[in-house]
Amino acid sequence: MDTIGLLFPRKCFGCGKFDSYICEDCVKSIPKVKQICAVCKKPSRNGYTHLRCKKEGAPDRLISVFPYKGAVKKAILTMKYKFAYDIGKSLAQLTFERWGKIKGKYLLAPLPLHEKRFNWRGFNQSEEIGKHLAKLTGWRFVPDLLIKKKMTKPQVELGKEERHINVKNVFSINPKYLGWKLKSNVILLDDVWTTGTTMKEGIKALKTFGFKKVWGLAVAKSGVGNRR
Ligand SMILES: [Zn+2]
Ligand SMILES: [Zn+2]
């Protein structure tokens, strides 16, 4: 057993029962997320962007898998700040069970972290989850499809207006993929959807590059619209 395993025994973040990070009973008790349109944030069936909200560079769909609270929130935070890689596999499995059976050919790309933060944290949690999710879904995993152009301050330290400026045009397509023929649709994965600003910038970069359909997939969605 490695040190991570010793520090993080497989114990349910919901009820404390051993053997899994989120046990079956606790998974069942997690409410469904009310899906929203990524543009206007109002309810939308299956997360598709409203016709009236469609504009150039906008996401075509946003899928939020779980509300960002309780056991899921604890799992994500523990993974993120305690370097507990193993939790990513469980979160991928849970994501797959709720939303992974989507038919069609997709590229799955994680929303990147900036290099400096990547190094400090040691890993990008969205990439970890994505790696496992791609194996389960059969989607083609392209971990470095998007790259970040410059350092941004952590979003939480900024006001709404600053947040927007902070992430404006920070993403671009990795030059090694510039010659790609764009037949696939892309699913951009992030662990938590908060304001959606960063995710939407990533999607905009992909659509500007020429991908026709780009969806956001958030393992958890924080904020309003979650059913209690
Ligand atoms: Zn439990
Ligand atoms: Zn809308």
Side-chain angles (χ1 to χ4, degrees):
M1 196 185 267
D2 59 22
T3 41
I4 304 281
L6 286 170
L7 283 168
F8 295 96
R10 287 185 159 262
K11 202 173 144 188
C12 177
F13 283 107
C15 67
K17 202 159 69 189
F18 279 98
D19 287 337
S20 61
Y21 290 116
I22 302 176
C23 76
E24 272 181 45
D25 289 340
C26 287
V27 169
K28 276 183 213 150
S29 72
I30 299 171
K32 280 192 175 169
V33 177
K34 207 169 186 180
Q35 300 298 322
I36 57 162
C37 162
V39 177
C40 69
K41 320 269 171 78
K42 290 185 181 135
S44 158
R45 197 174 155 77
N46 289 326
Y48 285 103
T49 300
H50 299 125
L51 273 178
R52 62 174 183 273
C53 296
K54 280 193 187 274
K55 57 186 175 195
E56 221 181 299
D60 297 282
R61 187 181 185 185
L62 168 69
I63 296 169
S64 319
V65 184
F66 294 104
Y68 187 54
K69 56 186 179 182
V72 170
K73 185 174 181 176
K74 279 186 206 160
I76 288 174
L77 289 175
T78 306
M79 182 184 178
K80 195 181 277 191
Y81 295 108
K82 310 277 184 183
F83 312 101
Y85 293 67
D86 207 23
I87 297 170
K89 207 170 174 178
S90 301
L91 289 170
Q93 180 68 41
L94 297 175
T95 298
F96 175 66
E97 282 161 16
R98 285 216 174 173
W99 276 103
K101 287 135 198 158
I102 291 166
K103 289 195 175 73
K105 272 195 167 182
Y106 295 95
L107 298 179
L108 180 67
L111 196 67
L113 292 174
H114 187 270
E115 213 175 316
K116 277 185 186 166
R117 278 200 273 158
F118 180 89
N119 289 340
W120 170 79
R121 194 178 281 159
F123 74 109
N124 177 350
Q125 68 281 359
S126 300
E127 186 175 335
E128 277 300 307
I129 298 167
K131 187 171 77 185
H132 298 294
L133 184 61
K135 278 182 203 157
L136 296 164
T137 54
W139 300 337
R140 181 171 169 194
F141 189 49
V142 191
D144 57 353
L145 180 59
L146 269 189
I147 52 173
K148 232 174 172 183
K149 289 194 281 200
K150 61 186 178 216
M151 185 65 177
T152 51
K153 287 185 192 169
Q155 291 289 93
V156 283
E157 291 174 12
L158 305 170
K160 200 182 170 195
E161 205 48 40
E162 280 181 304
R163 280 187 188 205
H164 190 67
I165 295 161
N166 193 39
V167 294
K168 211 169 190 300
N169 300 322
V170 289
F171 298 108
S172 62
I173 298 288
N174 189 331
K176 76 188 212 195
Y177 298 117
L178 290 180
W180 264 16
K181 289 199 175 101
L182 306 172
K183 283 179 184 160
S184 300
N185 299 324
V186 183
I187 296 177
L188 188 61
L189 178 73
D190 202 9
D191 56 348
V192 184
W193 166 282
T194 310
T195 62
T197 312
T198 327
M199 175 80 98
K200 282 196 271 187
E201 283 298 325
I203 288 175
K204 199 163 100 187
L206 291 162
K207 294 201 79 168
T208 304
F209 177 61
F211 287 107
K212 290 278 179 292
K213 257 188 210 165
V214 185
W215 295 356
L217 175 63
V219 175
K221 178 166 84 68
S222 84
V224 290
N226 290 334
R227 283 186 196 138
R228 300 258 160 205

